[in-house]
Amino acid sequence: MLVRAAEELDIAELARIWYDGWHEAHAHILPAELTQLRTLESFRDRLRVNLPNVRVATLLDRPVGFCILKGDDELYQLYVSSQSRSSGVATALIADAEARFSESGVETAWLACAIRNERAARFYEKCGWRRMGTMINPTETSQGAFSLEVWRYEKSLI
């Protein structure tokens, strides 16, 4: 497995991973209004905008997961294809993100996790992230910000 900077050519496959993973994990626990806005094209658009901050994990030169860092200290997105789950891809991506934060001098990184997304919560906790409580997160959509209450996780990197 290789973790590298994402390229424009990766966007179509990464958007599919994000779309499938988001709908599998979130469609049944988040408001229908938000789910309707989570189209494949919306994920492509968000990847294009964030491309300089996207890292992709590849197996045999094929994207199998990605993460996006946002701002100075936020692990914004982390998704792995269903076929590659439990294979170490997510662990490699989160380790890469943590290393990038550390290299930038970040002492404490944070991420937002959908309330009731227990699989993701267990993974973050296994990786040493701590649930700090809830917060209102202005989630990006094609219609503007969508306010969503989420679990806030943090990890000390020092």
Side-chain angles (χ1 to χ4, degrees), residues 2-7 10 14 47 50-58 63-69 77-79 92-93 96-97 99-100 103:
L2 172 69
V3 178
R4 61 168 172 77
E7 301 170 357
D10 299 318
L14 296 179
L47 281 161
N50 288 289
L51 193 59
N53 302 311
V54 179
R55 300 279 286 176
V56 59
T58 61
V64 293
F66 71 95
C67 70
I68 304 174
L69 302 188
Q77 302 293 334
L78 176 68
Y79 281 87
L93 285 166
D96 180 77
R100 289 172 32 209
E103 289 167 10

Side-chain angles (χ1 to χ4, degrees), residues 86 91 120-129 153 155:
S86 299
T91 302
R122 281 190 305 273
F123 172 72
Y124 297 134
E125 291 166 7
K126 178 181 164 191
C127 292
W129 292 70
Y153 277 83
K155 184 169 184 179

Side-chain angles (χ1 to χ4, degrees), residues 42-104:
S42 76
F43 290 114
R44 279 191 208 113
D45 292 344
R46 290 168 70 198
L47 281 161
R48 277 188 196 96
V49 167
N50 288 289
L51 193 59
N53 302 311
V54 179
R55 300 279 286 176
V56 59
T58 61
L59 288 173
L60 303 174
D61 293 326
R62 183 159 186 204
V64 293
F66 71 95
C67 70
I68 304 174
L69 302 188
K70 185 176 179 183
D72 293 329
D73 59 356
E74 180 184 2
L75 176 53
Y76 175 57
Q77 302 293 334
L78 176 68
Y79 281 87
V80 174
S81 69
S82 59
Q83 309 92 301
S84 297
R85 291 190 194 133
S86 299
S87 68
V89 171
T91 302
L93 285 166
I94 205 165
D96 180 77
E98 291 170 5
R100 289 172 32 209
F101 283 134
S102 291
E103 289 167 10
S104 297

Side-chain angles (χ1 to χ4, degrees), residues 14-28:
L14 296 179
R16 174 51 67 182
I17 290 168
W18 197 356
Y19 176 87
D20 290 344
W22 190 94
H23 282 272
E24 178 186 337
H26 298 101
H28 63 288

